[in-house]
Amino acid sequence: MNIQLINYIVSSILILILALVVYLKNPKSVQNRIFAAFIFLGFVYVASLGIADIVRSPSVSLVAVRTAIVATNYIGFCLYLLAKYFPSSPNKTPKLQIAIIFSISTILSILAYTPYMISSIVITGFGADLDSVGILYYVQEIYLVVMIVASLVILARKISKSDLQQRNQIRFIIYITIFYAFINILIINTLPLFLQYQGIGPLLTAPSTMILFMGFAYVIIRHRLFDIKLVVARSLTYILSIGLIVTIYSLVAFNLSNLIIKNWPVGLKETFYAILAVVLALTYAPIKKFFERITNAIFYRDKYNAQQLINSIGQVMASEIDLDKLSSKVIKELCTEMKIEKGEIVVFGEKQLFYENNIFKKNGNEITQKELRKLGRAMGVYDLLQTGERKELMSQYGISISLPLKTGDRFMGYLLLANKKSGDIYTNEDIKVLEIIGSELSVAVQNALSYKEIQLFSETLAERVRQRTAQLKSANDQLKILDQAKDEFISMASHQLRTPLTTVKGYASMLDEGDFGKLSKEQKEPVQLALDGANRMARLIDDLLNISRMDANRFFLEVASIDLAKVVDQEIAQLQNIAQAKNVKLNYVPPKSSIPEIRLDENKTRQVIMNLVDNAIHYSQPPKGGGEVNVSLELDGQHAVFLVKDNGIGVPEKVKNRLFTKMFRANNAKELRPDG
């Protein structure tokens, strides 16, 4: 009996304290008020049955049991309100439904004190139990079952629309309600009537209510229902602080009174006690601060400053462009502040890339790229997932959070996080913070990837440039060898051609001069053409020899004082025949004043004069009346100016910069004179 009394007293007190704490936490909150009323009615129910079992007076116990029935009616009403208003108030208040249910509860409560509800009770060795009930008792039980089922359905529908923390809160409320309804409605209130066995109610009422209390206490503390953690923590702080001070004060005062100051005068004792009180009052603040640190460590071990965490990670992302360092610092910051066991940033490229180490393993095997892609492109929270391949995969590798890293249409990888060190779930606040960090981290990872791609491209480009440079150097060396062979061939061929050409020129010149007899006009003309061709061939051979000499650095000038006017006059005279043959008028204007002798290489100067005038003749396109080449030599201060001007095709503007390069000819010149 004493144990039963203690059970009722302890259960009643704890339930009453729980109701007061929830109400005082936020009296203005509808949810807090409903839940406090719900728990308080549980207190009334337990206290009423306790009085019925302990007093053992049939009349008093009957009233107490009927009062417990009244509490049960309103418990069903409060449970319905809790389902409607938790975790947040509905958009439209169901006033009519509330009025109807409240009216039914009130009517049944009034009728509970009539024999139509409970006729009599029986006092057994365990306490008061139902003996005879009326028809309204079954109506009341059906009403209570309907209220419980309706409330559970409403709560179940809200699970899918709630966040992680609220889902867990709703689930536990459902579990606790089902358990308590099963014990109280079926086992305590219904089975005894059919089995004709009294004693189950008194035995199970207090323990089942205690289980109900512990269940709600677990939800309140573990899943932050109504967030009374601060109230509990501060209450413990004050209780422990005051308790310690009272204990110290009592021990010090008692011991000193018995050992030291028991013989002191009364006034001196009072002074000592006053000083002791002041000392203890001064020590209250540091003692309270000490216990605050302890309770904070117990109740707020996972607490962190969300904005400070976002800012610190933002600084890391702003200062680091290297992907390895960025990943390492972000994971370290997250795991330290949020107290997470481990984390990893996984980035996909052409191959799967893991920065730091692949710490998520199954039986020692690393998670593969194929498996990672099964995590999907939406944030995955293990506790939020129902069932399926993704949850199974996260369970196997110990992943609690999979946060995809993506910008626009580009998917880059995941931020993977394990459980918290405390074992707590990730709250709604945690998930929101991670979503903010994830969006910023995605941009930082994309920038880091771009930087890495640029680095790889630069390295690849440098390697390719090195390879191409080596190839070009090899090709250039080969060209130099070929060019040298060509020069040697040209030099050799030119020397070999000079000997027969000299013979041809000699005999043609002798024929032209009549050494073998006077030639007729018909004979003289082809001989002169042959001589002109031989002279042109000699000039070409000289050009080739000069080129080979210049390439071999063996081109020398034989300088002597010459009369430039005489040299020009002689060359123009030789070119007149060619001009006539080409139907080109060759005009020469000699210098107006005498030109002093100039130190030049006579042969090479003649060659230049010959080339310039000969080109002008050959590339003149005779318009109506024939082509025309005007040549002049004049003295301009300290310079002798030799000028050749023709009315021919000219040199295109875009290739003039290549005019004096070796072997170059413009396209229009090639078309007009393929053999040039």
Side-chain angles (χ1 to χ4, degrees):
M1 189 67 179
N2 291 333
I3 295 176
Q4 191 176 16
L5 176 61
I6 292 171
N7 283 339
Y8 277 119
I9 293 173
V10 171
S11 299
S12 300
I13 292 174
L14 291 177
I15 293 173
L16 183 61
I17 291 174
L18 180 62
L20 288 173
V21 168
V22 171
Y23 176 76
L24 294 174
K25 174 63 179 70
N26 189 1
K28 295 182 180 180
S29 169
V30 176
Q31 290 83 8
N32 285 57
R33 292 202 300 267
I34 294 173
F35 191 79
F38 177 73
I39 297 297
F40 178 75
L41 288 168
F43 160 76
V44 174
Y45 175 75
V46 173
S48 298
L49 292 180
I51 292 171
D53 290 340
I54 295 166
V55 173
R56 304 184 69 81
S57 168
S59 60
V60 175
S61 296
L62 180 59
V63 173
V65 170
R66 287 172 172 174
T67 303
I69 295 297
V70 172
T72 302
N73 291 328
Y74 285 109
I75 284 175
F77 171 68
C78 286
L79 183 61
Y80 174 80
L81 289 181
L82 187 63
K84 280 289 186 181
Y85 283 85
F86 185 83
S88 59
S89 300
N91 296 329
K92 187 176 180 181
T93 305
K95 293 181 180 179
L96 181 60
Q97 294 178 18
I98 293 173
I100 292 172
I101 296 171
F102 180 77
S103 300
I104 295 173
S105 298
T106 303
I107 293 170
L108 290 174
S109 297
I110 294 172
L111 294 174
Y113 291 96
T114 67
Y116 299 106
M117 185 72 70
I118 299 176
S119 302
S120 63
I121 63 169
V122 61
I123 305 298
T124 68
F126 301 102
D129 209 343
L130 299 175
D131 182 36
S132 177
V133 297
I135 187 66
L136 288 180
Y137 179 81
Y138 298 104
V139 174
Q140 183 266 343
E141 289 292 296
I142 293 172
Y143 164 73
L144 187 58
V145 170
V146 170
M147 285 294 97
I148 291 173
V149 172
S151 301
L152 293 177
V153 170
I154 293 171
L155 288 171
R157 287 178 177 176
K158 289 186 175 182
I159 290 179
S160 61
K161 300 177 182 178
S162 304
D163 59 48
L164 174 62
Q165 185 171 315
Q166 292 169 349
R167 287 186 185 185
N168 287 307
Q169 292 169 352
I170 293 172
R171 286 195 186 102
F172 274 98
I173 291 175
I174 291 174
Y175 299 153
I176 294 167
T177 303
I178 292 173
F179 171 79
Y180 190 68
F182 174 79
I183 294 295
N184 279 268
I185 295 175
L186 183 62
I187 296 179
I188 295 178
N189 296 336
T190 305
L191 283 182
L193 296 174
F194 291 98
L195 299 176
Q196 296 298 316
Y197 176 75
Q198 282 78 25
I200 295 178
L203 281 175
L204 295 181
T205 298
S208 63
T209 307
M210 193 67 178
I211 292 172
L212 176 69
F213 162 76
M214 289 189 295
F216 277 115
Y218 175 81
V219 180
I220 287 171
I221 295 173
R222 178 69 172 80
H223 295 289
R224 297 177 175 86
L225 182 64
F226 300 112
D227 199 15
I228 65 167
K229 189 179 284 190
L230 180 63
V231 176
V232 176
R234 292 297 170 260
S235 299
L236 280 176
T237 299
Y238 287 111
I239 290 170
L240 292 172
S241 302
I242 294 172
L244 181 62
I245 287 178
V246 169
T247 301
I248 294 173
Y249 183 85
S250 300
L251 290 174
V252 171
F254 178 77
N255 289 326
L256 289 177
S257 297
N258 290 330
L259 298 175
I260 300 175
I261 65 171
K262 62 181 180 179
N263 297 322
W264 286 12
V266 176
L268 192 58
K269 285 183 180 180
E270 291 177 351
T271 303
F272 173 77
Y273 288 135
I275 294 172
L276 182 61
V278 172
V279 171
L280 291 175
L282 293 175
T283 58
Y284 173 74
I287 290 173
K288 175 175 168 289
K289 190 173 182 180
F290 169 75
F291 283 116
E292 276 184 353
R293 287 199 299 269
I294 293 176
T295 53
N296 284 340
I298 295 172
F299 289 95
Y300 293 96
R301 55 186 174 178
D302 291 339
K303 187 177 181 181
Y304 62 92
N305 189 316
Q307 189 59 51
Q308 185 176 339
L309 174 61
I310 293 171
N311 292 340
S312 61
I313 290 182
Q315 290 176 357
V316 171
M317 292 186 289
S319 61
E320 288 295 345
I321 194 66
D322 181 78
L323 192 53
D324 296 345
K325 294 180 180 178
L326 173 69
S327 302
S328 176
K329 290 184 178 181
V330 168
I331 291 297
K332 182 179 179 182
E333 196 74 28
L334 275 175
C335 291
T336 301
E337 292 300 319
M338 297 184 73
K339 297 177 178 60
I340 301 171
E341 290 178 353
K342 57 186 178 181
E344 185 66 281
I345 293 177
V346 181
V347 179
F348 296 122
E350 293 181 2
K351 298 180 179 179
Q352 186 175 334
L353 302 176
F354 291 92
Y355 292 93
E356 292 299 303
N357 297 306
N358 186 358
I359 58 177
F360 291 97
K361 299 182 180 181
K362 177 182 68 174
N363 300 325
N365 297 321
E366 296 180 347
I367 188 169
T368 64
Q369 181 173 353
K370 183 178 179 181
E371 288 177 315
L372 277 169
R373 293 190 182 277
K374 293 179 182 178
L375 294 175
R377 298 198 177 187
M379 184 175 184
V381 182
Y382 179 80
D383 292 311
L384 275 176
L385 298 174
Q386 302 300 321
T387 55
E389 187 179 24
R390 182 158 64 151
K391 185 165 186 176
E392 179 64 24
L393 181 66
M394 293 175 73
S395 175
Q396 291 174 355
Y397 286 97
I399 300 170
S400 292
I401 297 285
S402 65
L403 183 63
L405 302 176
K406 55 185 179 180
T407 54
D409 295 332
R410 184 178 182 184
F411 173 67
M412 296 168 290
Y414 293 98
L415 167 63
L416 303 178
L417 299 174
N419 294 325
K420 288 187 175 181
K421 294 179 180 178
S422 63
D424 286 349
I425 62 171
Y426 284 88
T427 65
N428 188 42
E429 180 185 6
D430 295 333
I431 293 171
K432 288 180 180 178
V433 170
L434 290 173
E435 285 176 342
I436 294 171
I437 292 173
S439 61
E440 295 180 358
L441 181 60
S442 298
V443 176
V445 168
Q446 184 181 26
N447 293 337
L449 282 175
S450 300
Y451 173 72
K452 198 171 190 68
E453 288 171 1
I454 291 172
Q455 280 187 317
L456 292 174
F457 176 75
S458 299
E459 293 172 3
T460 304
L461 183 61
E463 178 61 21
R464 289 182 179 177
V465 169
R466 187 190 66 78
Q467 292 175 357
R468 293 293 184 270
T469 302
Q471 292 173 357
L472 288 172
K473 184 177 182 302
S474 175
N476 188 53
D477 293 341
Q478 189 68 24
L479 285 174
K480 286 182 178 179
I481 294 172
L482 294 174
D483 194 52
Q484 183 178 359
K486 178 261 301 177
D487 291 341
E488 291 175 356
F489 171 77
I490 290 174
S491 178
M492 180 185 66
S494 299
H495 281 290
Q496 294 297 326
L497 288 172
R498 284 181 75 94
T499 301
L501 183 61
T502 301
T503 302
V504 171
K505 280 182 64 178
Y507 281 108
S509 178
M510 292 171 65
L511 283 170
D512 186 53
E513 292 175 1
D515 291 344
F516 299 104
K518 188 175 181 181
L519 300 176
S520 64
K521 185 177 181 182
E522 290 80 5
Q523 293 173 330
K524 192 172 183 63
E525 185 174 350
V527 170
Q528 287 179 343
L529 290 175
L531 184 60
D532 290 340
N535 288 329
R536 285 184 58 216
M537 178 66 74
R539 289 196 297 273
L540 287 173
I541 291 172
D542 288 340
D543 287 341
L544 292 174
L545 285 173
N546 287 333
I547 289 172
S548 62
R549 287 167 184 165
M550 284 187 285
D551 290 338
N553 291 322
R554 291 184 286 106
F555 185 80
F556 301 105
L557 296 176
E558 298 176 1
V559 179
S561 296
I562 62 170
D563 184 352
L564 183 60
K566 182 179 178 181
V567 170
V568 172
D569 187 65
Q570 291 174 351
E571 292 299 319
I572 295 297
Q574 289 185 24
L575 290 167
Q576 286 291 352
N577 292 334
I578 298 175
Q580 290 175 7
K582 293 289 184 181
N583 194 24
V584 174
K585 185 177 181 181
L586 177 60
N587 302 316
Y588 171 60
V589 179
K592 296 178 181 178
S593 57
S594 62
I595 297 177
E597 290 187 349
I598 304 173
R599 290 182 59 79
L600 296 170
D601 185 317
E602 183 176 349
N603 290 330
K604 293 179 177 61
T605 302
R606 286 180 180 275
Q607 191 174 354
V608 170
I609 294 170
M610 175 69 68
N611 285 338
L612 289 173
V613 179
D614 184 68
N615 279 341
I617 293 171
H618 281 91
Y619 292 110
S620 290
Q621 250 178 349
K624 243 183 185 181
E628 184 174 358
V629 176
N630 295 306
V631 181
S632 63
L633 178 67
E634 59 185 23
L635 187 64
D636 183 11
Q638 297 295 317
H639 299 90
V641 179
F642 177 70
L643 181 65
V644 179
K645 186 176 180 181
D646 62 72
N647 61 349
I649 61 175
V651 181
E653 189 68 32
K654 61 182 180 181
V655 296
K656 282 186 177 179
N657 59 326
R658 300 179 60 193
L659 187 60
F660 293 102
T661 57
K662 185 169 66 174
M663 302 296 181
F664 172 74
R665 298 180 71 216
N667 289 333
N668 59 347
K670 293 178 182 178
E671 292 173 1
L672 182 65
R673 188 183 179 192
D675 62 336

